[in-house]
Amino acid sequence: MLTLLQTSNSSDIYLPPWLQQGLGLLVIGIVLGFFLYLILFSTLKSFFRRSSNEIGILTLNILQTPLLILFVIIVLKVLIYSLGLLENLPFIQRLLTAGIVAVITYLLDRLFTQVIAYSLSKYAEKTEADWDDVLIPLIKNTLPILIYLIGGFLFIQTLGIDLSGLWVAFGGMTFVLGFALRDILSNFFSGLVLLVDTPFQFGDVVALEDGSVAIIKSIGIRLTTLYLIESHCDLLVPNAALESQKLVNFSRPNSSYYYTIIVPIRADSDPNQAIKIIEEVVLSHPDVLGDLNNKLVAIENFYRVTDQLLEVEDNLLSKKEAGRQRLIAEEKVKVKLEKIKTEITRLVDKIKLMEMEGLDSGEVREIQGYYLDIVRLVGLETVSEKQKGQKSLFLQESQNMDEDALISLLRSWYKNWQEDPDLRDADDEVLENEWERKIYFLTKRMNKLLQQIVNSGQGFSETKLDDYVLELWKWIEERFQTYALWQSPKIWMQDMSMGGGLGTINMAVKFFVDNVKLEQCQRGNRIRSEVHGEIVRRLRQAYFYR
């Protein structure tokens, strides 16, 4: 019989060797766990707080409790294994392994939904691609299901339950399930097709086949959620049904939308004079696209006539001033873009001459100097950072930006736009997000071109440098072009009808509204109504209206 307590000159407690070994491992595990806990959840958390790293802090908060539970289970498992109790406690060993699987499954789900999906969403906001805006929410909805499905199978298997019969049964039911879930699978794969084609992105305004106008809200595993503007409710459309529909996207290629009004005039009217009146009315509305100089003249004439003939409300006066200030700010952006275009054209000509025989380091520095002049026109400045022992140049917004820099003018433009009395509170955020996003991508693209210029001295794509510069201008022109000639209002005689004495000439009036997304997507309808009403009033005054 093992003597557990021996008495000598001093009383000592005697422990069996296997118990001493187990207690030793337990103490080592506790000490090691304490230090790991101290490093992870004290030092790192303090570091992330100082560096304002939201992702790091969020990750540590998620890991804190599951890692502690996981650590305890692993210590117990190692302790049982080291003591050689596997043969006596097989069920406990399997239970501990299943516990590890359960904790890891839960941890992976939390890390993905709270950290990875959040990071991907932030990444999607910083990219111009449309597919990631749609793909990331779909992955966010489907991947957790797969994580728990796989984790559940592994959990059951680690408990020692034989799944071979379940797999056979599952295989036999595959055909039945496939037939029963054919609609769900069809909707799922239709959602993937929508991701590949990217016919729209979240926030786009679209017209369905039945004429309903809606805003794209989200794409799920089976359904796409649309917000119906007229009825102020959500519409849930199966992905397969949406994928097969013909959609009109009002937000592509940009948010300017084309409206048409049919105006009947007397057949004995002077068509040229009628067209002149209609054109002045359309151009005078500040929210309709057109030549900026002509609009600034027309808006003064229009409101002058209106002030004389009508009792003008305060809102109309403020609309006039807000519209005039916005048009002036828009004109300044246009002038600055023309100047940048001129400088970019000169830079392209210089590059074409220099790159004929290859670019040496001196020529690269000369090109870089010309490019930095353009950078300053935009409102950016260079900063140097050390990477891998070498200094690299990067662009950022200038700390002392000139008021006439492109970025300053763009901000002044959309802030003047926000003063429009017809806008709603949410529109301020819509405009700011839209234009700040464009400014962010402008900085990013100009940074990319700077790196291409610097690397061209090392033999990288030196013959394509002029193409890269032209690509940058093309992008700037598409994103920041205030007005294109083809967007001018167009008025012509559509047809003529006889009856009721004098005949009638139907005049087709077509014009672009500046941004169809504003005013809860009702901006276009309001502008069309205002323009139509003023055209009728002015034509009646001239005895032209039928």
Side-chain angles (χ1 to χ4, degrees):
M1 180 178 180
L2 182 63
T3 305
L4 297 178
L5 188 62
Q6 292 181 342
T7 305
S8 61
N9 294 333
S10 61
S11 297
D12 296 327
I13 298 176
Y14 175 76
L15 298 176
W18 60 270
L19 188 55
Q20 293 180 14
Q21 182 182 6
L23 290 175
L25 289 172
L26 185 62
V27 171
I28 292 173
I30 292 174
V31 173
L32 182 62
F34 173 77
F35 279 107
L36 286 175
Y37 187 89
L38 187 65
I39 293 172
L40 284 175
F41 302 109
S42 295
T43 308
L44 282 179
K45 189 175 285 188
S46 177
F47 170 76
F48 287 143
R49 284 194 178 123
R50 286 197 303 270
S51 60
S52 300
N53 190 327
E54 296 180 359
I55 300 297
I57 296 174
L58 180 61
T59 303
L60 290 179
N61 289 337
I62 291 173
L63 290 174
Q64 192 165 355
T65 301
L67 279 186
L68 182 62
I69 298 173
L70 195 62
F71 174 77
V72 172
I73 295 175
I74 291 174
V75 168
L76 290 174
K77 186 175 175 65
V78 172
L79 183 62
I80 293 174
Y81 179 81
S82 63
L83 295 178
L85 300 177
L86 290 176
E87 297 179 357
N88 299 326
L89 302 170
F91 177 74
I92 293 178
Q93 186 74 2
R94 288 196 299 270
L95 189 62
L96 291 174
T97 304
I100 293 174
V101 171
V103 173
I104 292 176
T105 301
Y106 170 78
L107 188 58
L108 288 175
D109 172 66
R110 293 280 293 171
L111 284 174
F112 180 80
T113 55
Q114 300 295 324
V115 179
I116 299 176
Y118 175 78
S119 302
L120 290 174
S121 299
K122 290 294 183 183
Y123 168 77
E125 293 176 1
K126 297 180 180 180
T127 62
E128 296 180 83
D130 298 331
W131 62 267
D132 52 9
D133 295 324
V134 185
L135 179 61
I136 290 171
L138 189 61
I139 294 177
K140 186 177 179 180
N141 292 331
T142 56
L143 198 57
I145 298 174
L146 295 176
I147 290 174
Y148 277 112
L149 187 63
I150 296 173
F153 274 112
L154 292 176
F155 179 83
I156 296 173
Q157 195 166 16
T158 52
L159 288 176
I161 300 174
D162 187 10
L163 296 180
S164 57
L166 182 61
W167 283 114
V168 171
F170 181 77
M173 293 176 60
T174 301
F175 177 78
V176 178
L177 288 174
F179 181 78
L181 303 177
R182 64 187 185 281
D183 290 337
I184 295 177
L185 294 174
S186 174
N187 289 320
F188 175 76
F189 287 109
S190 294
L192 295 180
V193 170
L194 290 174
L195 294 177
V196 175
D197 290 341
T198 58
F200 47 72
Q201 62 184 8
F202 299 137
D204 278 1
V205 184
V206 299
L208 305 178
E209 287 185 340
D210 62 358
S212 302
V213 179
I215 301 174
I216 304 293
K217 290 182 65 175
S218 65
I219 296 181
I221 299 174
R222 192 174 67 87
L223 301 171
T224 295
T225 303
L226 305 169
Y227 170 72
L228 292 178
I229 296 171
E230 295 296 333
S231 56
H232 186 58
C233 63
D234 284 347
L235 173 66
L236 303 178
V237 182
N239 293 334
L242 187 66
E243 190 259 338
S244 62
Q245 280 198 41
K246 293 180 181 179
L247 298 178
V248 177
N249 193 335
F250 295 154
S251 304
R252 302 288 184 92
N254 51 52
S255 55
S256 303
Y257 182 63
Y258 208 31
Y259 280 90
T260 301
I261 298 174
I262 304 299
V263 180
I265 64 172
R266 294 161 54 102
D268 60 347
S269 304
D270 182 354
N272 293 328
Q273 187 64 24
I275 289 174
K276 184 179 178 180
I277 293 173
I278 294 172
E279 184 177 25
E280 183 179 351
V281 171
V282 176
L283 283 174
S284 66
H285 200 294
D287 304 331
V288 173
L289 298 186
D291 181 79
L292 295 176
N293 293 324
N294 293 336
K295 284 183 67 63
L296 283 169
V297 173
I299 193 174
E300 292 294 337
N301 293 337
F302 168 67
Y303 282 109
R304 188 183 301 124
V305 172
T306 306
D307 291 347
Q308 294 172 356
L309 299 177
L310 299 174
E311 288 188 12
V312 182
E313 299 178 357
D314 292 339
N315 184 58
L316 187 57
L317 290 174
S318 63
K319 178 71 177 182
K320 169 188 174 182
E321 184 58 25
R324 192 175 69 84
Q325 292 297 330
R326 175 159 65 91
L327 291 172
I328 292 173
E330 189 175 349
E331 176 67 20
K332 291 179 180 178
V333 172
K334 178 184 175 183
V335 171
K336 179 60 66 173
L337 286 173
E338 287 296 328
K339 186 174 182 180
I340 292 174
K341 179 182 180 180
T342 301
E343 295 302 318
I344 285 180
T345 303
R346 290 176 181 172
L347 176 58
V348 170
D349 293 339
K350 293 178 186 295
I351 292 174
K352 286 181 177 178
L353 289 174
M354 294 180 182
E355 68 182 7
M356 293 178 65
E357 298 181 359
L359 297 174
D360 56 33
S361 58
E363 289 173 327
V364 170
R365 285 195 297 271
E366 186 177 354
I367 292 171
Q368 184 175 318
Y370 288 129
Y371 180 63
L372 291 180
D373 290 338
I374 299 173
V375 164
R376 283 186 282 272
L377 291 176
V378 173
L380 302 176
E381 63 181 5
T382 56
V383 292
S384 59
E385 293 182 3
K386 246 188 176 182
Q387 290 188 347
K388 298 180 180 179
Q390 295 182 346
K391 282 189 176 180
S392 300
L393 288 178
F394 294 91
L395 299 178
Q396 66 177 19
E397 288 191 27
S398 177
Q399 299 297 320
N400 300 309
M401 192 184 302
D402 295 335
E403 291 183 358
D404 66 339
L406 177 61
I407 293 177
S408 293
L409 295 176
L410 288 170
R411 288 197 172 115
S412 177
W413 179 22
Y414 82 69
K415 286 177 181 177
N416 273 285
W417 202 338
Q418 290 172 333
E419 297 300 320
D420 187 338
D422 288 312
L423 295 186
R424 304 179 184 182
D425 293 339
D427 292 327
D428 290 347
E429 185 178 354
V430 171
L431 286 171
E432 183 172 354
N433 289 342
E434 180 178 343
W435 286 98
E436 288 298 331
R437 185 180 171 92
K438 290 181 179 180
I439 291 171
Y440 169 81
F441 289 129
L442 173 62
T443 306
K444 189 175 180 180
R445 281 188 169 261
M446 296 200 74
N447 241 322
K448 181 180 179 181
L449 180 56
L450 177 61
Q451 304 310 316
Q452 289 170 331
I453 292 174
V454 172
N455 292 331
S456 64
Q458 303 172 14
F460 296 109
S461 305
E462 60 180 25
T463 58
K464 295 183 178 180
L465 199 54
D466 55 334
D467 295 330
Y468 294 151
V469 178
L470 288 174
E471 285 176 8
L472 173 65
W473 170 248
K474 183 179 180 182
W475 183 90
I476 293 174
E477 192 174 34
E478 289 176 351
R479 297 302 187 279
F480 299 103
Q481 184 74 40
T482 58
Y483 156 75
L485 186 60
W486 57 270
Q487 292 176 313
S488 299
K490 295 175 178 58
I491 304 146
W492 60 78
M493 293 184 292
Q494 181 169 323
D495 54 44
M496 184 174 180
S497 59
M498 302 300 294
L502 293 174
T504 300
I505 300 175
N506 290 320
M507 308 294 292
V509 185
K510 297 179 180 290
F511 56 87
F512 275 94
V513 170
D514 50 15
N515 194 325
V516 73
K517 292 183 179 181
L518 300 177
E519 302 176 39
Q520 197 66 24
C521 303
Q522 297 292 344
R523 185 175 180 85
N525 294 329
R526 175 186 61 79
I527 294 169
R528 179 171 54 184
S529 176
E530 291 175 355
V531 169
H532 195 181
E534 185 60 22
I535 288 174
V536 170
R537 190 189 68 79
R538 294 283 296 276
L539 290 176
R540 276 180 176 165
Q541 185 184 32
Y543 300 102
F544 287 168
Y545 188 72
R546 182 66 175 167

